[in-house]
């Protein structure tokens, strides 16, 4: 197995509003290894983006990382640092250099009054010893690598002069400008048509292989996960419901929420099949339900599901599921395997 570069353990992140505490991320743990593409999937409000912002230590008032650790290895010597304990100055050396992020909307993430060249050169010079002339040359080379036509001419354009797909490519070029060890892509294909989506995902995989970086890919679209990810984390209500390889999650989903997501995916087959949505709404994280957060919408909910949160049960060496149906004492439900013990 490849080396671990990120270890998130018992992470809790909350936001404090005039209505009360929004428990956006609640006691989640996962690992990321060198060269992996980890897909984090779930409905809006499940905690995906807050998890990524926590990893970047970008949670600011009125929010805070309440507990847990985020250990990251910025180099190959396996020395880990806890991002949650770093000062503002220390984390600024990590962001954009060892860990980079592609935000959801490149039009708002990029400054509209500065040219693409100025924004890319600023990042490159912030984290390297290149002078301005060499930084411009590198920026042009990066734009060419991500498929921007005529990088010599278009690098002096403003973001609004680029199409949505080109802006996303420019964001990717900026994010990889310092060869990060970890790239976080938060909904990188949102608002793009399916053809451009496929191109962006193919580009991310190509760049991942080229510079041997790991990727956290955040999305609500299981189709994107199937196309690009090697491992998957399924989130709901600020918690992790299921973890596994992409093969595990698609061929053998063991949590009712994961199965519900599967049933709501349109297929390209000739067979006409009605999509089955998950009834109900995601939980209010100002007042999350007791027990399993999915219990109000779960077709297999039992009394214990409303009283106590389940453990993370081991399904196989690569898969685990946080569901009481995995317990040996639970009633048998067709299609659910009974694993031994809990993680």
């Amino acid at each position: 197995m490849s080396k671990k570069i990120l270890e998130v353990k018992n992470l809790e992140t909350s936001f404090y509003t005039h209505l009360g505490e929004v428990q956006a991320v609640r006691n989640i743990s996962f690992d990321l290894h060198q060269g992996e593409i980890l897909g984090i999937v779930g409905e809006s409000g499940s905690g995906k983006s807050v998890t990524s912002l926590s990893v970047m230590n970008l949670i600011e008032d009125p929010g805070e990382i309440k507990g847990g650790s985020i250990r990251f290895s910025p180099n190959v010597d396996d020395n880990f640092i806890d991002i949650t304990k770093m000062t503002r100055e220390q984390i600024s050396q990590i962001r954009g250099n060892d860990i980079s992020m592609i935000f959801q909307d490149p039009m708002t993430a990029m400054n509209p009054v500065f040219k693409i060249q100025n924004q890319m050169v600023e990042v490159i010079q912030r984290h390297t010893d290149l002078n301005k002339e060499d930084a411009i040359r590198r920026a042009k080379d990066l734009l060419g690598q991500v498929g921007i036509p005529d990088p010599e001419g278009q690098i002096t354009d403003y973001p609004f002069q680029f199409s949505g797909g080109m802006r996303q490519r420019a964001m990717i070029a900026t994010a990889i400008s310092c060869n990060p060890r970890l790239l976080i892509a938060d909904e990188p294909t949102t608002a793009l048509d399916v053809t451009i989506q496929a191109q962006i995902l193919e580009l991310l995989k190509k760049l991942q292989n080229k510079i041997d970086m790991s990727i956290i890919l955040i999305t609500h679209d299981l189709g994107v996960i199937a196309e690009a990810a090697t491992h998957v984390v399924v989130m709901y209500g600020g918690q992790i419901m299921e973890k596994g390889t992409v093969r595990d999650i698609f061929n053998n989903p063991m949590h009712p929420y994961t199965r519900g997501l599967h049933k709501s995916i349109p297929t390209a087959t000739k067979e006409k099949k009605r999509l089955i949505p998950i009834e109900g709404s995601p939980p209010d994280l100002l007042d999350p339900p007791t027990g399993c957060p999915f219990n109000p919408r779960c077709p297999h909910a039992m009394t214990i599901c409303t009283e106590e949160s389940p453990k993370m049960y081991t399904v196989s060496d690569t898969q685990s599921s946080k569901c009481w149906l995995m317990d040996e004492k639970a009633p048998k439900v067709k299609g659910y395997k009974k694993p031994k013990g809990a993680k």
Side-chain angles (χ1 to χ4, degrees):
M1 180 179 287
S2 56
K3 294 181 179 179
K4 185 191 300 183
I5 70 164
L6 180 71
E7 179 187 82
V8 176
K9 191 170 184 180
N10 302 326
L11 176 65
E12 295 186 348
T13 302
S14 289
F15 294 88
Y16 299 94
T17 72
H18 67 285
L19 295 175
E21 179 186 354
V22 179
Q23 302 173 53
V25 172
R26 301 188 289 154
N27 195 31
I28 70 168
S29 301
F30 64 88
D31 298 331
L32 178 69
H33 293 80
Q34 183 70 32
E36 282 184 357
I37 301 180
L38 174 67
I40 301 182
V41 66
E43 293 172 281
S44 296
S46 61
K48 309 183 302 297
S49 293
V50 175
T51 298
S52 68
L53 292 173
S54 299
V55 171
M56 293 285 285
N57 204 346
L58 285 172
I59 303 297
E60 296 184 349
D61 190 63
E64 70 166 347
I65 297 175
K66 288 177 55 182
S69 62
I70 304 170
R71 299 177 66 246
F72 173 66
S73 175
N75 43 51
V76 294
D77 61 8
D78 293 333
N79 289 330
F80 280 82
I81 53 176
D82 190 342
I83 289 174
T84 64
K85 297 179 180 178
M86 299 180 75
T87 65
R88 184 181 294 271
E89 180 63 28
Q90 290 172 328
I91 195 63
S92 68
Q93 299 300 318
I94 297 293
R95 293 194 201 115
N97 188 20
D98 300 300
I99 306 177
S100 285
M101 188 168 183
I102 304 168
F103 294 94
Q104 280 191 34
D105 185 356
M107 192 61 202
T108 56
M110 302 185 83
N111 195 319
V113 300
F114 288 102
K115 296 177 180 180
I116 298 291
Q117 173 178 294
N118 296 347
Q119 299 185 59
M120 292 188 68
V121 167
E122 180 183 5
V123 173
I124 294 169
Q125 288 196 290
R126 176 73 174 80
H127 296 289
T128 70
D129 297 326
L130 295 180
N131 59 37
K132 186 174 182 179
E133 184 179 335
D134 289 337
I136 292 173
R137 190 177 298 111
R138 172 149 178 77
K140 290 177 181 178
D141 178 61
L142 287 164
L143 288 180
Q145 287 184 40
V146 299
I148 298 289
D150 185 26
E152 286 279 346
Q154 295 197 289
I155 195 171
T156 55
D157 286 347
Y158 291 91
F160 69 84
Q161 293 176 280
F162 278 24
S163 67
M166 286 175 64
R167 281 196 297 269
Q168 196 63 283
R169 290 172 186 270
M171 276 285 293
I172 294 171
T174 305
I176 66 167
S177 59
C178 297
N179 293 328
R181 201 165 195 211
L182 169 59
L183 176 67
I184 300 174
D186 188 1
E187 301 274 9
T189 60
T190 297
L192 300 177
D193 64 60
V194 291
T195 303
I196 303 301
Q197 281 187 26
Q199 293 175 2
I200 294 297
L201 292 175
E202 187 61 34
L203 173 62
L204 286 174
K205 289 191 290 184
K206 179 181 176 181
L207 293 171
Q208 183 257 339
N209 289 324
K210 183 175 182 179
I211 63 178
D212 194 28
M213 66 181 174
S214 303
I215 297 176
I216 295 178
L217 178 62
I218 296 169
T219 182
H220 61 274
D221 189 342
L222 276 177
V224 170
I225 293 294
E227 176 68 24
T230 55
H231 294 74
V232 186
V233 165
V234 181
M235 289 192 70
Y236 182 82
Q239 297 184 4
I240 292 176
M241 298 290 100
E242 188 162 8
K243 296 187 285 189
T245 65
V246 69
R247 186 182 295 274
D248 292 330
I249 298 303
F250 279 87
N251 292 350
N252 186 39
M254 296 307 298
H255 196 283
Y257 178 61
T258 311
R259 295 193 173 197
L261 292 177
H262 275 265
K263 292 177 182 178
S264 62
I265 302 174
T267 61
T269 60
K270 293 182 180 180
E271 179 186 358
K272 291 182 179 180
K273 189 176 180 182
R274 182 180 293 274
L275 300 181
I276 305 174
I278 302 174
E279 294 184 0
S281 301
D284 180 1
L285 295 181
L286 276 167
D287 184 24
T290 305
C292 174
F294 189 59
N295 79 74
R297 306 171 72 186
C298 181
H300 306 299
M302 302 172 285
T303 302
I304 194 171
C305 301
T306 65
E307 298 174 344
E308 187 178 341
S309 182
K311 303 173 183 178
M312 185 67 82
Y313 287 91
T314 300
V315 177
S316 68
D317 291 340
T318 58
Q319 185 180 8
S320 53
S321 177
K322 192 174 185 179
C323 180
W324 282 115
L325 288 177
M326 302 294 99
D327 193 272
E328 293 180 342
K329 297 179 181 179
K332 292 184 179 180
V333 175
K334 185 178 180 181
Y336 285 86
K337 178 182 177 182
K338 297 280 188 178
K340 292 184 179 179
K343 222 173 196 178

